[in-house]
């Protein structure tokens, strides 16, 4: 038998090697195709909204979801008269209160904290605040004590008052300590407001039925007032601490005098006077800083300014000074704030604010969609230069340009009647300061 010649053996070996390489390549291509189909199915499931395997989620996706859950989107608002926005709360702010010395603003929110802000930082880039924790509950109302060494809150779940004492530290900050016992539960309906008299003699709480309670500082009820409003929408203590007023379903505001003896002992609560003139339920009211003026807003679509500096013990009734239209009040509940000098009225409906000159009854400024939620509180600072509002997780502060314009009008009128040079110089200085403020805000009318 003859063996194949050498060239033929080499050709056969090369042929077999080539066939082996082709087979290997085919197997590799099939494996790659299977991997691509598997990856494609996984991507297709994600694109079509099918739930992918949790183990395939990236760490970045989990982190982004956690951030979105912990920090809901903040409502954005800009305006040429916006002075500042205070944004340290992680929950919606329900109430705020300026201290009587003008140094602090207290805010409470459903994040179980009360924050104390320094007013001197309002026009700075950074806004400092100190935090007081509300254990096992959250506050819906907050009020400073007259000496600014304590504040009280109304507990949302506890339905009662809690007192916090403010103790100053060596570093200039404060520690906040709740008193051992809360006030006893007395109200049977949701609360509408609380307050502390500037004299420090009593505390007021009002609920949405017809009840207003007068307490001493130890948590004992001194008097119970039945307002006969059918339901209360608001109640407050006057800045002079003599009066407690309430409004509700009836078309009036009722005012009582809280009487104390010469030795500071409580005597009685007596009816003082009423604001009569609205034709429908009253949403809200406010006092001026000297308690000589009051403003009210009603479901009849009007707001009114009253002169309450009367001899009510001689049956003298308050005088109606001005009536203005506010149609929004006829359809939705409204809040009201009166500047300390009673020259400017701020009205809030929904998430918008409107500023009126009370002397002429004209609307001068409007701020639309200020907050992401309905406005929960509205207040001027004690200087009257800033208006504060809250309704979401931020407090927004506005320059009170109608207030500066009212000063300009008043000083110009007084200058015409000034009899001596020193008076003229003083009036001219106030006029110049108000005009400069308006000029800097771009709000000076030519």
């Amino acid at each position: 038998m003859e063996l194949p010649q050498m060239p033929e053996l080499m050709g056969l070996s090369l042929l077999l090697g080539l066939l082996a390489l082709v087979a290997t390549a085919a197997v590799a291509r099939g494996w790659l195709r299977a991997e691509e189909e598997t990856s494609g199915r996984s991507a297709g499931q994600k694109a079509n909204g099918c739930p992918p395997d949790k183990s395939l989620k990236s760490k970045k996706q989990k982190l982004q979801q956690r951030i979105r859950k912990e920090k809901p989107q903040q409502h954005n608002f800009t305006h040429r008269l916006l002075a500042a926005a205070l944004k340290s709360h992680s929950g919606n702010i329900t109430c705020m209160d300026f201290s009587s010395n003008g140094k602090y603003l207290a805010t409470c929110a459903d994040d179980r904290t009360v924050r104390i802000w320094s007013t001197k930082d309002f026009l700075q880039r950074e806004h400092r605040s100190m935090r007081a924790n509300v254990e096992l509950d959250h506050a819906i109302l907050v009020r400073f004590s007259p000496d600014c060494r304590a504040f009280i809150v109304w507990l949302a779940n506890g339905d009662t008052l809690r007192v916090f004492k403010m103790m100053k530290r060596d570093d200039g900050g404060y520690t906040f300590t709740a008193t051992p016992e809360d006030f006893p539960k007395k109200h049977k309906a949701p609360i509408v407001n609380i307050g502390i008299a500037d004299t420090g003699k009593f505390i007021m709480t009002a609920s949405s039925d017809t009840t207003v309670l007068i307490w001493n500082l130890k948590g004992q009820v001194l008097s119970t007032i039945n307002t006969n409003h059918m339901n209360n929408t608001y109640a407050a203590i006057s800045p002079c601490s003599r009066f407690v007023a309430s409004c509700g379903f009836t078309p009036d505001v009722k005012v009582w005098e809280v009487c104390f003896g010469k030795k500071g002992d409580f005597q009685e609560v007596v009816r003082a006077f009423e604001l009569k003139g609205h034709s429908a339920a009253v949403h809200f009211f406010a006092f001026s800083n000297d308690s000589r003026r009051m403003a009210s807003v009603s479901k009849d679509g009007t707001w009114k300014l009253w002169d309450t500096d009367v001899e009510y013990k001689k049956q003298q009734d308050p005088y109606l000074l001005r009536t203005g239209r506010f149609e929004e009040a006829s359809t939705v509940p409204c809040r009201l704030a009166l500047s300390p000098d009673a020259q400017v009225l701020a009205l809030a409906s929904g998430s918008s604010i409107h500023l009126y000159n009370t002397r002429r009854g004209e609307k001068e400024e409007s701020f639309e969609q200020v907050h992401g939620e309905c406005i929960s509180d509205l207040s001027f600072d004690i200087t009257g230069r800033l208006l504060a509002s809250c309704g979401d997780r931020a407090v927004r502060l506005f320059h009170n340009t109608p207030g500066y314009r009212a000063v300009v009008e008043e000083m110009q009128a007084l200058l015409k009647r000034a009899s001596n040079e020193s008076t003229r110089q003083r009036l001219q200085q106030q006029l110049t300061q108000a005009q400069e403020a308006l000029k800097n805000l771009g709000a000076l009318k030519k």
Side-chain angles (χ1 to χ4, degrees):
M1 181 176 179
E2 290 184 356
L3 294 173
Q5 295 181 357
M6 188 61 66
E8 293 176 352
L9 289 172
M10 291 178 65
L12 183 60
S13 298
L14 290 171
L15 179 61
L16 292 172
L18 181 62
L19 290 173
L21 288 172
V22 170
T24 302
V27 171
R29 282 198 300 272
W31 180 79
L32 288 171
R33 189 178 298 112
E35 284 293 307
E36 290 173 355
E37 290 174 356
T38 301
S39 300
R41 283 195 298 271
S42 178
Q45 287 177 342
K46 293 179 182 179
N48 292 326
C50 297
D53 188 352
K54 292 183 179 180
S55 63
L56 298 178
K57 284 187 177 181
S58 66
K59 292 183 179 180
K60 185 177 180 181
Q61 288 175 320
K62 291 181 180 179
L63 180 61
Q64 290 174 343
Q65 289 178 352
R66 190 178 300 116
I67 291 173
R68 285 196 295 269
K69 184 177 180 180
E70 293 176 354
K71 293 185 178 181
Q73 186 175 359
Q74 179 76 294
H75 177 73
N76 292 320
F77 174 82
T78 58
H79 194 278
R80 61 184 177 83
L81 296 181
L82 181 66
L86 315 180
K87 297 182 178 180
S88 291
H89 278 290
S90 60
N92 285 345
I93 302 169
T94 54
C95 183
M96 57 190 176
D97 187 47
F98 284 98
S99 62
S100 58
N101 60 11
K103 292 182 178 181
Y104 303 108
L105 171 69
T107 56
C108 64
D110 56 17
D111 59 7
R112 295 188 175 183
T113 68
V114 174
R115 289 192 175 270
I116 309 296
W117 307 81
S118 173
T119 57
K120 68 180 182 180
D121 295 338
F122 282 175
L123 301 183
Q124 306 299 320
R125 183 180 296 272
E126 299 294 330
H127 306 118
R128 294 177 297 170
S129 67
M130 298 172 286
R131 185 180 70 184
N133 295 320
V134 183
E135 299 294 337
L136 305 175
D137 211 326
H138 70 272
I140 57 174
L141 294 165
V142 60
R143 294 288 179 261
F144 273 111
S145 65
D147 60 7
C148 306
R149 296 179 182 177
F151 59 85
I152 62 172
V153 300
W154 186 266
L155 301 176
N157 300 322
D159 289 327
T160 188
L161 280 174
R162 178 174 295 174
V163 180
F164 283 82
K165 293 183 178 179
M166 301 168 57
M167 302 294 292
K168 198 161 189 176
R169 302 193 305 259
D170 294 337
D171 62 1
Y174 283 88
T175 57
F176 306 98
T177 306
T179 54
E181 293 184 4
D182 299 333
F183 277 34
K185 295 182 182 180
K186 295 293 183 179
H187 285 283
K188 298 179 181 180
I191 208 74
V192 295
N193 198 24
I194 62 176
I196 307 179
D198 281 353
T199 56
K201 291 182 178 180
F202 68 94
I203 292 173
M204 178 223 67
T205 59
S207 52
S208 61
D209 44 17
T210 60
T211 305
V212 175
L213 298 181
I214 306 299
W215 310 69
N216 65 16
L217 301 187
K218 296 180 180 179
Q220 299 169 331
V221 175
L222 301 175
S223 181
T224 300
I225 301 172
N226 180 4
T227 64
N228 292 313
H229 285 306
M230 295 182 66
N231 67 276
N232 299 331
T233 56
Y234 186 67
I237 303 173
S238 64
C240 67
S241 298
R242 288 180 62 190
F243 306 113
V244 167
S246 69
C247 64
F249 184 77
T250 56
D252 52 18
V253 178
K254 296 177 182 178
V255 183
W256 290 265
E257 183 180 6
V258 183
C259 303
F260 287 83
K262 293 182 179 180
K263 296 182 179 180
D265 54 315
F266 172 76
Q267 293 184 331
E268 61 179 342
V269 176
V270 297
R271 179 73 70 86
F273 55 86
E274 296 180 7
L275 307 182
K276 296 181 178 180
H278 288 293
S279 60
V282 178
H283 293 305
F284 215 85
F285 66 86
F287 289 92
S288 64
N289 195 48
D290 59 7
S291 303
R292 298 172 64 183
R293 298 286 186 272
M294 289 182 69
S296 57
V297 61
S298 166
K299 195 175 180 180
D300 62 13
T302 67
W303 60 263
K304 294 181 183 293
L305 181 71
W306 310 81
D307 179 353
T308 54
D309 186 21
V310 296
E311 296 185 36
Y312 59 90
K313 292 183 179 179
K314 297 181 179 179
Q315 309 302 314
Q316 188 176 6
D317 293 325
Y319 298 101
L320 178 61
L321 300 175
R322 178 72 60 186
T323 297
R325 296 296 304 174
F326 188 63
E327 296 296 342
E328 290 90 334
S330 61
T331 55
V332 294
C334 299
R335 297 189 71 88
L336 176 154
L338 187 63
S339 64
D341 60 4
Q343 298 276 22
V344 181
L345 179 69
L347 290 165
S349 62
S351 61
S352 300
I353 302 171
H354 309 275
L355 300 184
Y356 288 79
N357 178 303
T358 58
R359 181 177 295 181
R360 298 189 309 273
E362 298 175 358
K363 181 163 65 174
E364 293 198 9
E365 299 287 354
S366 290
F367 311 116
E368 304 290 341
Q369 298 181 346
V370 176
H371 297 278
E373 305 287 341
C374 289
I375 292 171
S376 57
D377 207 354
L378 190 68
S379 178
F380 286 94
D381 74 333
I382 64 169
T383 68
R385 296 173 183 173
L386 295 173
L387 173 69
S389 68
C390 60
D392 45 27
R393 290 178 289 127
V395 173
R396 291 190 165 81
L397 299 156
F398 296 89
H399 293 288
N400 180 18
T401 51
Y404 288 118
R405 294 191 193 106
V407 171
V408 170
E409 293 176 13
E410 184 179 13
M411 294 304 106
Q412 288 175 338
L414 291 174
L415 274 170
K416 294 178 181 179
R417 302 195 300 269
S419 58
N420 59 69
E421 187 60 28
S422 61
T423 301
R424 290 184 60 85
Q425 289 179 357
R426 178 175 54 82
L427 296 174
Q428 185 61 52
Q429 183 181 12
Q430 295 181 50
L431 173 60
T432 302
Q433 290 175 347
Q435 289 175 329
E436 284 295 322
L438 289 170
K439 182 178 179 181
N440 293 333
L441 295 170
L444 184 62
K445 292 184 178 180
K446 296 181 180 181

